[in-house]
Structures are given as C-alpha cells and as structure tokens.
Amino acid sequence: MSSASKPLIAEDTYMKADTSSAVSPTFGSRYLTEPLPRNTIPEKSMDPKAAYHLIHDELQLQGNPVLNMATFCTSVMDEECNRLISENLGVNYIDTEVYRGNLEIQNRCVNILINLFNAPEPEKAWGIECIGSSEALILAMLTHKRRWQEKRKAEGKPYDKPNIVLGNDVHLTWVKGAIFLEVEQRMIPLHPDRFTINAEEVMEQVDENTIMVVGVLGTSYTFDYDPIKEINDALVDLKNRTGLDVPLHVDGASGAFIAPFLNPEIEWDFRLEQVRTINASGHKYGLVYPGIGWAIWRDEKDIPKSLVTETNVLGFVERSFSLNFSRGGAMILAQYYNFIRLGREGYTRIQNAMRENARYLAKGIAEIGKFDVLNGGEFTPSCISKLKDESRYNAADLVAALAQKGWTIPAFSLPANADHVNVMRMNVREQFSRDMADILIGDIKQAIDKLETTHSKPHGTLGTHHH
Ligand SMILES: *Cc1c(COP(=O)(O)O)cnc(C)c1O
C-alpha cells in the first residue's frame, strides 16, 4: 500500500481552531476579550493554554483551601503522592481484571483498616472503597435493612416498618439514606446543654423493628464523640435479656482516623460486640484528597447474598456490591501511599500536631474573654466556641468580618433541642500552623474591636437545621 503522500491523520480531523492562538501569546488570545460559552458547546476549538488559564484564573475567585476552617477534607499531600495520582488518573477502579494492582492495593487498605479497627476475627471481616462516607454508610444501612427484612420474613413477622435510631447530631447523609431506603428515622433530640446522645435515650427508641443504631465518632456540629461503649453495653444487655440483637454502626467519618492514633484507649470499634459496621472518610483525617471513603463489615456474612450482583460485560465475572460502576482508582493508591509512607508514627504525629494547634487556638480564643469554648481539642483537632453575649453582634456577624480577611469559618445554630446555641466551628487541618493560629487570633480580636464600635444589634442570620 503506497500512501507516502497521504498524511497519517486526515487534515480535516483537526478543527480549524482559533488561528490567532498560533501566533498570539495566551493572554492575547481572542478568548480573553470575548465571553466564554456557558450554556452551549462552542463550535470551535481553543488553544489548550488559553483554556487552562481561563478556567484556572476564574477559580482564583473562590475560597482559599488553606484558610478554609469549615472543611474536614484534605487539601494537601506529598509531591510524590501527587505524582502517583497523576500517573494513574486514567485507571478505572471497576476494571479489576486489567487493573489488578489497583484491586490488590484496595484489598490491602481494607485489611489495614480491619486491623486498625480491631476486628476480633479479621479473616471474617470485609470492606470496600467508596466515594466517601456517604456511599459507605448508605451501603451499610442497606445491608442492615435487608438482613433484618430477610430474618423477619423467615420468622413470618411483618417487615414493612424498619427504623433506625440515631441522634440529632448525625450528618445530613443519614437523613438522606433513610429517605432513599424508606426507613423510619427515630431521631433523638439533643439535650439543651449536651450535644451528643446517650445510651438511655437510645434504648427508649429501640424495638424489634430497629435495623440499626447509629453512633457518631466526631459529630459534624461540635466534633464530639457519642458514648459508643455505653450504647454498645446497653445493646448487649438488651440482647442478653431479650434475644433482640440490634447492630450498632459507628459513623467514624472523621473520628475513625483520629481515635486509633490519638486515643487508642477509647473503645469505639470492633472491640465492642455490637459494632457491626464502620464508615470512615479517607479524604478527611485519612489525609487523602476528596473522593475516598471506606465501609467495613465486622463479618462478611452480614452482607446478604441477595444484594451482590454479577456482570460479565468486562469479559470476566465481576461480583459487585457498590453504588457506582466506573470511577477513578487513583485515590486508593493515595490512601495506601499514606498508610505505608506515614505508618502509625506519621499519622500519630500529624494528628497530634493538628490537635495541639487546635488547643492553642482554643486557648487564644478563650483568652479574648468573649467566648465560651465548647470543644477545645479534647479528642479531636477542633475548636468550637460560642459568643458569651450576642446582644450587639452574633457569630454570623463575626465570621462575615473574618471572611474579609480571607478566612472561611462556619457559624451555625446547633440542632434541636440545642438550637439556642450558636457556634463557630474551626477544624484544624495539616496546613494550619501555629503561626496561622496567631494570625487568626489577632484577626478575631480586631474583628471584635470593630464590631463593638459599629454594631448595636446583630445583623447576621445563622443557618438552622431541618433534621
Ligand atoms: C463528612 C461526614 C459524613 C459524610 O461523609 P463524606 O465523606 O463527606 O461523604 C458523614 N458523617 C459524618 C460524621 C461526617 O463528618
């Protein structure tokens, strides 16, 4: 075949793009003086440098991740890990026959977590990588619901009114999960001056239709730990007295990666008999970028076979129990990178440094004299405080003033029945240094001085909760 004169790629497969971009520098490109297409795909192509800069520069207007005290999520990793991630951006997690290495590494991460969470019989436990704790806890809820239904059916009992028992301190995702899976929420209100639930309140709600009880290790509101052991002991007692075996799930989205390193003496995990499932967010204190969470079952038998599906579309038999099919696999590698790179030593050091800085921040805030500190980094790297006097300005006014300095700090009222309490929540993460704590304390003092001279009544409104 003689095709020497034929170009390898037909010329017209290239779009006749912005010819000006070939001769003009990126910032001289016509795209910088014309509006960008927002609603329809443009007819013509664009120079890649111009496309990059247009998007990159527009994003400079959004919040700075280093100054974001609102999030629990990771925004910095090692350069070496960044390289590993970019080398594997094209890896599809579901294609386990092709990307065997990725699957193998996922399994190692699961095993590490099974052991970190002290499963008494690790060989019986099972786990899976998820997009975040949200997918993880919905999968856990699904297994508890189905197991309860199958058991009730077999016993000839009604199985149409499943409920979960949880506190008003749970994350929104639990509400979402219960709505999606049509499970009644037995939501325990918070105490006006205690922002977690207790065993007694839980036991008042539990009955034969309870598919699971939820305890939170690190609530989204005050970062406190629910008394998981107390709740477990009450459920064990119920089981011994009545035979009613109600599983306990621990939402360890943030705490499951903190407690094992900073407070290994706290019993919250599979050391406790009724704890059957745990979720954890790799992208929070697992110190990986957003896009990874973990669901772990104490015993694989707790996942009903009726929920596991099979497909052969990839050319092999794939058994799967997850919501997604295709997804990126790179964050699994990043999680494993952290496990082997940091080890227990590194995780402990980083978590401890964060908590020390949170305690320092809390001390500085307390010393201003205007705040009650509700959580000054007792167990977790957090500083939750409330203004003593909100007659002239409130927490929303204060965080608005701090936003002018670049800080993102959430102010909100706690869930009922503690909704009279307005808090400012600051999560301390890796990039928040002692030096930045000093800068923030100084900025808070300045903001308060200004509010005291300019405000005679509060202006800001605080978000409320609709659990
Ligand atoms: C963040 C969080 C969630 C949701 O987890 P994602 O990883 O963001 O999906 C659930 N529960 C608690 C306690 C959380 O802090």
Side-chain angles (χ1 to χ4, degrees):
M1 201 169 76
S2 126
S3 58
S5 61
K6 225 173 142 196
L8 274 177
I9 299 172
E11 213 176 330
D12 59 4
T13 54
Y14 291 115
M15 283 295 285
K16 288 281 186 298
D18 174 19
T19 46
S20 74
S21 68
V23 289
S24 62
T26 300
F27 287 99
S29 151
R30 67 183 176 83
Y31 294 108
L32 283 107
T33 54
E34 281 176 16
L36 270 179
R38 283 169 193 236
N39 302 316
T40 52
I41 188 156
E43 291 305 323
K44 297 209 169 205
S45 307
M46 179 188 291
D47 176 69
K49 281 207 187 69
Y52 169 81
H53 274 288
L54 283 162
I55 299 171
H56 170 89
D57 295 353
E58 186 170 328
L59 293 179
Q60 301 308 302
L61 292 167
Q62 67 186 4
N64 179 338
V66 182
L67 302 181
N68 184 359
M69 309 290 289
T71 185
F72 293 79
C73 283
T74 300
S75 47
V76 65
M77 293 191 77
D78 288 346
E79 278 299 315
E80 288 75 8
C81 189
N82 291 345
R83 198 189 315 149
L84 198 58
I85 291 168
S86 63
E87 285 166 3
N88 288 280
L89 282 174
V91 168
N92 185 357
Y93 147 95
I94 202 71
D95 212 342
T96 52
E97 191 83 345
V98 180
Y99 305 117
R100 273 182 228 128
N102 238 70
L103 176 66
E104 161 64 21
I105 286 178
Q106 181 198 193
N107 292 341
R108 288 184 204 166
C109 289
V110 166
N111 288 339
I112 286 172
L113 290 172
I114 285 171
N115 287 304
L116 190 67
F117 300 160
N118 295 299
E121 295 174 280
E123 63 292 345
K124 286 193 179 166
W126 193 80
I128 189 173
E129 184 259 358
C130 298
I131 283 291
S133 277
S134 303
E135 181 185 0
L137 65 86
I138 288 172
L139 288 177
M141 197 192 299
L142 182 59
T143 59
H144 291 303
K145 181 186 173 194
R146 180 62 65 93
R147 226 171 67 87
W148 172 85
Q149 281 176 327
E150 289 181 354
K151 183 163 176 285
R152 297 277 296 178
K153 221 185 221 174
E155 292 168 353
K157 292 180 179 160
Y159 53 92
D160 59 340
K161 288 198 169 59
N163 71 63
I164 50 171
V165 174
L166 67 182
N168 220 350
D169 56 350
V170 295
H171 191 271
L172 165 78
T173 311
W174 284 101
V175 174
K176 224 193 248 187
I179 293 171
F180 290 0
L181 300 182
E182 303 189 72
V183 172
E184 178 198 341
Q185 303 162 42
R186 299 222 169 143
M187 193 69 87
I188 301 163
L190 295 190
H191 196 268
D193 53 19
R194 167 171 49 78
F195 313 131
T196 54
I197 52 172
N198 69 23
E200 203 185 325
E201 292 162 338
V202 167
M203 296 319 286
E204 280 166 16
Q205 300 297 330
V206 169
D207 63 18
E208 57 174 10
N209 291 325
T210 304
I211 62 165
M212 70 199 292
V213 171
V214 180
V216 188
L217 203 71
T219 72
S220 312
Y221 304 98
T222 56
F223 222 155
D224 287 313
Y225 290 171
D226 276 338
I228 312 282
K229 184 164 174 9
E230 249 179 71
I231 297 171
N232 170 77
D233 293 352
L235 290 172
V236 170
D237 178 56
L238 177 76
K239 184 168 72 180
N240 293 341
R241 277 188 294 111
T242 68
L244 203 57
D245 183 2
V246 181
L248 176 56
H249 174 97
V250 180
D251 179 352
S254 51
F257 275 106
I258 298 172
F261 303 112
L262 294 188
N263 295 94
E265 77 288 357
I266 298 180
E267 288 180 50
W268 63 274
D269 53 17
F270 294 125
R271 278 170 286 183
L272 304 176
E273 195 173 322
Q274 290 307 105
V275 173
R276 301 274 264 282
T277 40
I278 294 173
N279 69 271
S281 294
H283 52 215
K284 290 183 176 174
Y285 293 90
L287 307 178
V288 179
Y289 296 125
I292 190 160
W294 300 94
I296 309 286
W297 284 257
R298 176 196 198 91
D299 191 333
E300 194 176 5
K301 287 209 194 77
D302 284 347
I303 302 167
K305 295 234 170 7
S306 58
L307 291 175
V308 180
T309 48
E310 277 185 9
T311 177
N312 62 0
V313 293
L314 296 174
F316 59 94
V317 177
E318 172 94 24
R319 292 179 73 232
S320 129
F321 178 58
S322 60
L323 297 183
N324 286 66
F325 192 63
S326 302
R327 73 168 57 154
M331 291 309 153
I332 297 173
L333 306 179
Q335 182 77 74
Y336 188 59
Y337 171 90
N338 268 356
F339 285 154
I340 62 169
R341 141 92 175 121
L342 298 174
R344 191 178 278 281
E345 179 191 17
Y347 268 106
T348 306
R349 251 193 224 199
I350 291 171
Q351 316 284 28
N352 195 49
M354 290 190 285
R355 189 169 64 177
E356 284 305 311
N357 283 339
R359 288 174 176 174
Y360 179 83
L361 178 63
K363 188 164 157 278
I365 286 176
E367 280 166 7
I368 297 174
K370 304 280 181 186
F371 298 91
D372 292 322
V373 172
L374 306 179
N375 182 349
E378 187 188 3
F379 296 123
T380 52
S382 50
C383 169
I384 322 292
S385 59
K386 70 181 258 293
L387 281 164
K388 287 182 178 169
D389 175 7
E390 287 191 300
S391 59
R392 287 165 61 210
Y393 54 90
N394 62 20
D397 294 321
L398 181 53
V399 298
L402 291 167
Q404 291 176 3
K405 303 266 189 185
W407 299 103
T408 302
I409 297 171
F412 50 85
S413 61
L414 295 181
N417 293 329
D419 44 1
H420 57 288
V421 182
N422 297 330
V423 301
M424 290 202 308
R425 191 196 66 201
M426 300 177 205
N427 293 334
V428 170
R429 295 173 304 132
E430 245 185 297
Q431 285 157 297
F432 189 82
S433 61
R434 183 63 58 100
D435 185 49
M436 286 175 65
D438 284 325
I439 295 171
L440 177 54
I441 294 164
D443 286 347
I444 294 174
K445 280 185 192 150
Q446 259 187 19
I448 285 184
D449 287 346
K450 190 152 171 226
L451 288 169
E452 303 234 309
T453 57
T454 56
H455 272 54
S456 54
K457 63 173 175 22
H459 299 181
T461 42
L462 290 115
T464 49
H465 296 279
H466 305 284
H467 273 184

